[in-house]
Amino acid sequence: SNISVGHCFCFRGGAELLFDGVKKHQVTLPSQPEPWDIRNLLKWIKQNLLKERPELFMQGESVRPGILVLINDADWELMGELDYKLQDQDNVLFISTLHGG
């Protein structure tokens, strides 16, 4: 289905500082032929939401070590990580566990 779906992306623990201090983003992703997975989502976030210092959020095509990713309150490691296909109304939470600096 090509229907664009709504998602909530939240940033906590300092990660929000890379996104102009905004902790919660309600986003409708552009529709595309393939389902959105987390790999493509991270690319999209980097291009569209991330305001500064992408190296503090991303490493390669994934999040950098020290950033916890929860999909609907479950650890993304249980969900397939980068290969997880986003469903309508999914909540994705990024928590920075890196403090100080």
Side-chain angles (χ1 to χ4, degrees), residues 11-101:
F11 303 92
R12 300 274 188 277
E16 69 275 5
L17 300 177
L18 304 174
F19 296 87
D20 274 355
V22 179
K23 290 189 173 184
K24 186 170 184 176
H25 298 255
Q26 289 289 152
V27 171
T28 299
L29 292 168
S31 58
Q32 57 175 33
E34 297 296 312
W36 280 88
D37 58 20
I38 297 290
R39 182 178 283 106
N40 289 325
L41 170 65
L42 287 171
K43 265 182 224 160
W44 186 89
I45 285 177
K46 184 178 179 179
Q47 290 165 351
N48 295 278
L49 293 182
L50 197 53
K51 297 298 183 196
E52 54 189 297
R53 299 180 72 183
E55 72 279 2
L56 292 183
F57 185 70
M58 305 264 312
Q59 187 171 82
E61 61 177 8
S62 190
V63 291
R64 63 172 291 179
I67 293 192
L68 189 64
V69 183
L70 297 178
I71 301 167
N72 302 323
D73 299 324
D75 190 320
W76 76 325
E77 289 177 4
L78 307 174
M79 315 283 279
E81 299 191 6
L82 292 171
D83 295 321
Y84 173 79
K85 304 273 191 289
L86 281 169
Q87 312 293 316
D88 193 11
Q89 307 301 326
D90 272 355
N91 284 302
V92 185
L93 175 59
F94 300 91
I95 306 171
S96 175
T97 58
L98 305 167
H99 296 288

